[in-house]
């Protein structure tokens, strides 16, 4: 089998492409709105710096030294109890499960690109009706666009690391950055920009509930693609000698910068043309299109550009959500890349249909348990349980299981004096924080 590796810039863009996704442009602004702005943003930023960056380094290290799929990497790097530790690598399953709804949401975005070309809703009420119509009755529309998302992702995966994953990121990431920059510069010229700045950065501590705190921590994980082996799998194809710390820095920097830029821009538009920071997942599908309508023709152009950027961000993340399991079947079962890509793609495509049904009138009643529908459950189980658990396993593995000498030999040259604080954070700060997050998200306190 031909081994292909990322170029250095290819690796950084691919890992950043994984991190920058729907989490940054769709989820971050709406949860910031929901939890009241400034204080929430500060907790999120601190988590990214203190915990996210540490785990990113740990994930990259395991991949870089293991050089195989996640299961094999854990197995080979564990000094003993190999057959137990290999289960640490099964976090890749979380990615496939996330795809079960991620692909459907990318489908909604495709649909919004097409409809924004010709028309925008003239009020929030109309926008809400349009969105709900798609959700509650638009089976074929959702199915069609979900299928397109499946085809694109599967095609890219089957082309492999260099010809598929690196290529799509080399094209889509710069395009995404250009589109967002143009729109952001426009937003900066508007009066409401300062209000948006204030909303995002002036902390009002009274708004920081324990739920907001935990959501901020959980989101830092999701947005950086941590805890499920995506970054680890990419790192296994890093060129030898790549500076891990530099690469991790760029990924964290780009991810954070794009979330902040997207948030500032969207809130500016919503203050200027809409109803202020809207709450809830409908922000980009309901409040935003109505705000774009108020901008006139420019609004149409911006709407299309915005949804194109969102689709790009989603696709580059989607590919990384599936790649760990593709790599697993290639390495462990000697499947061809084509077979592995089609089988994994087929899985999220099929189960994704249940996600669509779970919002549909006439079907959703059968797909709702305990107040959450299938979509919500998959989101909850992956984000609340699987990713923090994955992060915890990685921190413990690098902090306690791998011989310190091995970790030090690889990381010391890159980290210098920062090695000791990083190692301390992995061993103590991260596990405690992850444990608290998990307990809280599971409703235990
Ligand atoms: N980081 C992506 C986002 O912010 O949308 C989502 C994601 C991708 C999570 C890959 C986890 C992952 F492994």
């Amino acid at each position: 089998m031909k081994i292909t590796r990322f170029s250095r810039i290819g690796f950084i863009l691919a890992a950043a492409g994984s991190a920058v996704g729907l989490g940054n442009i769709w989820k971050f602004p709406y949860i910031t709105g929901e939890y009241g702005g400034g204080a929430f943003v500060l907790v999120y930023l601190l988590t990214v710096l203190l915990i996210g960056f540490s785990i990113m380094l740990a994930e990259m290290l395991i991949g870089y030294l293991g050089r195989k799929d996640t299961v094999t990497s854990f197995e080979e790097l564990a000094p003993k109890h190999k057959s137990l530790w290999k289960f640490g690598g099964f976090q890749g399953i979380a990615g496939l499960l996330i795809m079960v709804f991620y692909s459907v949401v990318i489908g909604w975005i495709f649909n919004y690109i097409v409809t924004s070309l010709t028309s925008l809703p003239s009020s929030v009420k109309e926008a809400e009706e349009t969105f709900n119509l798609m959700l509650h009755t638009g089976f074929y529309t959702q199915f069609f666009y979900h299928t397109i998302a499946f085809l694109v992702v599967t095609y890219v995966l089957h082309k492999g690391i260099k010809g598929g994953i690196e290529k799509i990121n080399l094209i889509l990431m710069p395009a995404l950055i250009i589109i967002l920059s143009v729109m952001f510069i426009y937003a900066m010229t508007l009066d409401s920009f300062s209000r948006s700045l204030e909303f995002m950065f002036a902390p009002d501590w009274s708004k920081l509930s324990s739920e907001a705190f935990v959501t901020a921590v959980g989101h830092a994980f999701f947005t950086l693609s941590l805890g499920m082996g995506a970054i680890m799998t990419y790192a296994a194809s890093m060129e030898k000698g790549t500076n891990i710390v530099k690469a991790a820095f760029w990924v964290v920097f780009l991810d954070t910068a794009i979330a902040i830029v997207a948030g500032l821009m969207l809130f500016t538009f919503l203050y200027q043309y809409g109803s202020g920071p809207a709450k809830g997942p409908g922000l980009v599908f309901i409040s935003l299109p109505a705000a774009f309508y108020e901008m006139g023709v420019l609004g149409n152009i911006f709407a299309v550009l915005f949804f194109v950027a969102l689709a790009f961000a989603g696709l580059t993340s989607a590919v990384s959500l599936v790649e760990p399991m593709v790599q697993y079947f290639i390495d462990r079962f000697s499947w061809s890349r084509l077979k592995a890509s089609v089988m994994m793609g087929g899985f999220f495509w099929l189960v994704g249909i249940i996600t669509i049904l779970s919002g549909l009138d006439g079907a959703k009643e059968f797909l709702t348990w305990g107040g959450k529908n299938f979509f919500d459950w998959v989101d909850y189980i992956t984000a609340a349980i699987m990713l923090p658990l994955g992060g915890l396993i990685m921190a413990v593995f690098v902090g306690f299981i791998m011989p310190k000498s091995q970790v030090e030999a690889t990381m010391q040259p890159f980290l210098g004096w920062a090695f000791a604080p990083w190692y301390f954070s992995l061993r103590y700060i991260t596990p405690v924080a992850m444990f608290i997050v998990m307990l809280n998200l599971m409703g235990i306190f």
Side-chain angles (χ1 to χ4, degrees):
M1 191 178 50
K2 211 169 93 245
I3 307 274
T4 52
R5 301 239 177 277
F6 285 116
S7 66
R8 282 175 200 209
I9 179 75
F11 173 74
I12 292 176
L13 281 182
S18 167
V20 176
L22 304 183
N24 301 60
I25 308 177
W26 167 58
K27 205 167 175 190
F28 176 69
Y30 92 69
I31 51 179
T32 301
E34 214 158 65
Y35 291 109
F40 174 85
V41 174
L42 229 98
V43 174
Y44 154 79
L45 287 177
L46 280 176
T47 313
V48 165
L49 273 176
L50 296 178
I51 301 176
F53 191 61
S54 292
I55 300 213
M56 173 82 63
L57 286 177
E59 260 209 70
M60 284 191 182
L61 176 70
I62 301 173
Y64 179 77
L65 292 177
R67 310 221 61 73
K68 280 278 171 43
D69 69 283
T70 52
V71 175
T72 313
S73 292
F74 266 95
E75 193 175 50
E76 282 181 4
L77 292 175
K80 43 184 193 244
H81 308 303
K82 287 180 186 293
S83 53
L84 184 73
W85 273 109
K86 85 174 185 202
F87 286 100
F90 281 111
Q91 301 138 348
I93 293 170
L96 266 190
L97 291 178
I98 292 175
M99 270 309 277
V100 162
F101 66 86
Y102 212 83
S103 167
V104 174
V105 179
I106 294 177
W108 297 349
I109 297 164
F110 285 160
N111 182 26
Y112 270 68
I113 296 176
V114 176
T115 55
S116 306
L117 279 171
T118 51
S119 66
L120 288 170
S122 61
S123 65
V124 173
K125 194 166 168 293
E126 191 186 327
E128 200 166 353
E129 280 164 13
T130 313
F131 182 67
N132 285 336
L133 205 66
M134 175 188 77
L135 214 61
H136 300 322
T137 60
F139 176 78
Y140 289 109
T141 309
Q142 294 187 73
F143 175 75
F144 175 73
Y145 287 113
H146 163 59
T147 304
I148 295 193
F150 148 74
L151 290 173
V152 175
V153 170
T154 307
Y155 176 78
V156 172
L157 285 169
H158 113 277
K159 297 291 273 182
I161 292 285
K162 197 103 196 143
I165 297 175
E166 176 163 320
K167 211 174 203 168
I168 189 179
N169 279 291
L170 283 177
I171 301 168
L172 298 194
M173 284 304 285
L176 165 75
I177 292 172
I178 292 170
I179 295 177
L180 287 182
S181 305
V182 169
M183 292 178 69
F184 183 64
I185 290 170
Y186 174 75
M188 281 168 70
T189 65
L190 299 174
D191 297 339
S192 301
F193 186 70
S194 53
R195 273 181 81 188
S196 172
L197 264 179
E198 195 179 319
F199 178 71
M200 286 232 342
F201 293 112
D204 175 354
W205 296 106
S206 66
K207 288 197 173 136
L208 194 70
S209 59
S210 76
E211 189 188 322
F213 188 87
V214 169
T215 307
V217 177
H219 182 68
F221 255 74
F222 184 82
T223 188
L224 291 173
S225 298
L226 296 175
M228 56 135 287
I231 297 293
M232 193 185 293
T233 304
Y234 279 4
S237 295
M238 234 189 241
E239 232 174 53
K240 272 272 178 242
T242 303
N243 185 329
I244 298 181
V245 176
K246 233 192 204 158
F249 167 81
W250 274 108
V251 176
V252 172
F253 172 77
L254 280 172
D255 187 74
T256 311
I258 289 181
I260 302 276
V261 161
L264 280 175
M265 177 181 94
L266 295 189
F267 291 132
T268 304
F269 290 156
L270 290 173
Y271 275 125
Q272 188 88 16
Y273 299 105
S275 44
K279 301 176 174 75
L283 190 143
V284 306
F285 294 110
I286 297 171
S287 321
L288 194 65
F292 280 139
Y293 175 83
E294 298 295 324
M295 284 186 200
V297 183
L298 183 67
N300 272 84
I301 299 172
F302 270 15
V304 174
L305 280 178
F306 174 78
F307 285 115
V308 166
L310 195 54
F312 285 180
L315 285 171
T316 51
S317 298
V319 169
S320 78
L321 282 162
V322 191
E323 173 66 10
M325 290 312 285
V326 169
Q327 195 65 48
Y328 169 75
F329 281 102
I330 294 175
D331 284 351
R332 308 280 295 205
F333 293 86
S334 305
W335 283 11
S336 68
R337 191 165 254 287
L338 178 66
K339 178 175 173 186
S341 310
V342 171
M343 295 297 267
M344 298 304 107
F347 173 83
F348 78 72
W349 178 72
L350 270 178
V351 186
I353 295 172
I354 306 180
T355 307
I356 300 176
L357 290 174
S358 75
L360 231 57
D361 287 345
K364 63 171 184 264
E365 296 74 15
F366 303 102
L367 291 164
T368 304
W369 308 272
K372 282 188 172 49
N373 70 8
F374 180 77
F375 184 147
D376 302 329
W377 273 112
V378 178
D379 183 10
Y380 174 76
I381 290 170
T382 49
I385 303 170
M386 297 178 91
L387 297 192
L389 187 65
L392 184 66
I393 292 174
M394 287 174 204
V396 169
F397 189 72
V398 175
F400 292 100
I401 305 298
M402 283 172 66
K404 187 175 178 194
S405 54
Q406 186 186 18
V407 175
E408 204 165 5
T410 315
M411 297 306 277
Q412 177 73 38
F414 298 132
L415 277 169
W417 63 267
F419 177 80
W422 170 66
Y423 202 63
F424 180 84
S425 143
L426 271 190
R427 293 184 84 156
Y428 304 108
I429 302 178
T430 309
V432 171
M434 286 304 91
F435 197 62
I436 295 174
V437 169
M438 266 165 55
L439 290 185
N440 187 299
L441 285 174
M442 288 161 81
I444 292 175
F445 77 91

